[in-house]
């Protein structure tokens, strides 16, 4: 590494007087310059940026909403439960009794499929304790808890103790290394667009404009562009950074996750002045 980069990094870590957020932005800019100069590869830079994003995000930002969870009702027939487990292909399922706000444990698919033929088998006997966390919990703290306690799934509750959704260790890790595809990720469009409690939309960058227009009754279009990420990139003339905002046709798009090559997650919200087009970070 060049002496100038080393000097800048040394100055960054020794300066304790600056605003922490400003320091993080400065550090990321320095590392981006290092990547542009060939001193580190794009993947390494992307993961470093992901680590910083994890430090700024909370559980509410990436949770799977309760409406999209594959639940198990403890009182459902065993044959139905087995069929649902096999169909979805997940390894863990939250189990409720009576109401989905009454989560009584977590069922591991391997426990069910190994033991359901045993005499007097009862699902209750094989439930693992459920871990509950508030929506405000920082992802960096949650990841540490997952590692220390060897948990892989947590139930996210809102301020009224109702279930808001769930989050897995894979969800947190994906904020650092990018999307982790597995053999069960078949329906690619199923959760491209998620409606948040405040009315905003959480949108995957690779969501096609055709799907966005169809589901939200919008009318976005751009020449030679098929995805939401492509629309934002074309509007800016470059790949945006984390936290940047851009206004297009009466909506504001805020970048929630991106690396030097592509935009992964955006927040979309309606704005009052549809003819205004501006960016900020």
């Amino acid at each position: 590494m060049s002496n100038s980069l080393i000097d800048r990094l040394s100055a960054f870590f020794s300066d304790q007087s600056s605003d922490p957020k400003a320091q993080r932005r400065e550090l990321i800019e320095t590392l981006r310059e290092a990547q542009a100069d060939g001193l580190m590869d794009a993947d390494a830079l992307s993961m470093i940026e992901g680590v910083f994003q994890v430090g700024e995000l909370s559980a509410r930002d990436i949770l799977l909403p309760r409406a999209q969870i594959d639940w198990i009702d403890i009182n459902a027939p065993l044959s139905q439960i087995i069929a649902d487990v096999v169909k979805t292909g997940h390894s863990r399922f939250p189990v409720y009794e009576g109401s989905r706000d009454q989560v009584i444990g977590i069922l591991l698919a391997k426990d069910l499929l190994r033991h359901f033929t045993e005499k007097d088998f009862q699902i209750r006997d094989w439930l693992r304790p459920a871990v509950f966390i508030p929506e405000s919990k920082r992802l960096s703290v949650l990841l540490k808890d997952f590692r220390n306690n060897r948990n892989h799934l947590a139930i996210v509750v809102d301020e009224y103790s109702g279930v808001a959704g769930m989050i897995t260790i894979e969800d947190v890790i994906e904020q650092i290394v990018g999307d982790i595809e597995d053999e069960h990720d078949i329906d690619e469009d199923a959760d491209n667009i998620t409606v948040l409690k405040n009315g905003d939309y959480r949108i995957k960058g690779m969501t096609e404009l055709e799907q966005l227009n169809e589901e939200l009754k919008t009318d976005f279009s751009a020449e030679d562009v098929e995805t939401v990420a492509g629309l934002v990139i074309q509007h800016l003339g470059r790949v945006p950074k984390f936290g940047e905002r851009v206004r297009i046709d009466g909506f504001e798009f805020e970048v929630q996750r991106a690396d030097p090559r592509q935009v992964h997650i955006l927040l979309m919200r309606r704005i009052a002045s549809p003819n205004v087009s501006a960016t900020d970070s």
Side-chain angles (χ1 to χ4, degrees), residues 123-169:
I123 286 182
R124 292 179 189 272
D125 298 336
W126 293 96
L127 294 183
R128 310 291 180 98
V131 175
F132 298 90
I133 63 171
E135 291 180 300
S136 59
K137 185 150 192 171
R138 290 289 179 182
L139 295 190
S140 54
V141 178
L142 178 58
L143 181 58
K144 183 178 181 181
D145 289 347
F146 274 145
R147 293 178 58 193
N148 291 342
N149 301 322
R150 298 185 179 181
N151 291 325
H152 289 252
L153 183 152
I155 303 298
V156 184
V157 295
D158 59 26
E159 58 184 312
Y160 304 105
S161 299
V163 173
M166 77 174 193
I167 188 170
T168 68
I169 189 173

Side-chain angles (χ1 to χ4, degrees), residues 176-216:
I176 300 174
V177 302
D179 291 339
I180 302 172
E181 300 290 342
D182 62 36
E183 64 272 24
H184 303 297
D185 292 336
I186 297 173
D187 191 352
E188 297 178 352
D189 297 333
D191 59 349
N192 281 348
I193 302 172
T194 302
V195 183
L196 304 181
K197 284 186 175 181
N198 62 0
D200 292 351
Y201 299 94
R202 184 176 184 268
I203 301 174
K204 289 183 178 179
M206 290 298 101
T207 302
E208 293 189 358
L209 290 177
E210 182 179 356
Q211 181 189 359
L212 183 69
N213 289 334
E214 181 179 346
E215 293 193 20
L216 303 187

Side-chain angles (χ1 to χ4, degrees), residues 17-160:
S17 59
S18 301
D19 175 68
K21 290 186 177 180
Q23 283 186 307
R24 283 196 294 270
R25 288 195 296 268
E26 182 181 349
L27 176 58
I28 290 175
E29 287 299 327
T30 300
L31 294 174
R32 284 175 177 165
E33 292 177 14
Q35 190 273 324
D37 292 337
L39 299 177
M40 67 166 52
D41 61 39
D43 287 337
L45 175 61
S46 176
M47 283 190 284
I48 292 173
E49 290 182 321
V51 170
F52 278 101
Q53 291 180 34
V54 164
E56 296 180 358
L57 296 176
S58 59
R60 69 166 58 90
D61 295 315
I62 69 167
L63 62 77
L64 179 69
R66 61 182 287 163
Q68 298 180 25
I69 295 175
D70 290 314
W71 297 90
I72 287 182
D73 181 352
I74 191 68
N75 295 316
L78 180 59
S79 58
Q80 178 185 328
I81 293 174
I82 294 174
D84 290 343
V85 167
V86 172
K87 179 181 178 180
T88 58
H90 301 314
S91 60
R92 292 168 174 80
F93 297 82
V95 181
Y96 71 91
E97 184 170 25
S99 163
R100 293 182 178 181
D101 286 321
Q102 302 299 320
V103 178
I104 60 174
I106 305 298
L107 177 66
L108 273 58
K110 66 178 182 179
D111 289 341
L112 173 66
L113 300 179
R114 283 177 183 174
H115 302 286
F116 78 92
T117 58
E118 296 176 359
K119 185 179 180 180
D120 299 326
F121 172 81
Q122 295 291 330
I123 286 182
R124 292 179 189 272
D125 298 336
W126 293 96
L127 294 183
R128 310 291 180 98
V131 175
F132 298 90
I133 63 171
E135 291 180 300
S136 59
K137 185 150 192 171
R138 290 289 179 182
L139 295 190
S140 54
V141 178
L142 178 58
L143 181 58
K144 183 178 181 181
D145 289 347
F146 274 145
R147 293 178 58 193
N148 291 342
N149 301 322
R150 298 185 179 181
N151 291 325
H152 289 252
L153 183 152
I155 303 298
V156 184
V157 295
D158 59 26
E159 58 184 312
Y160 304 105

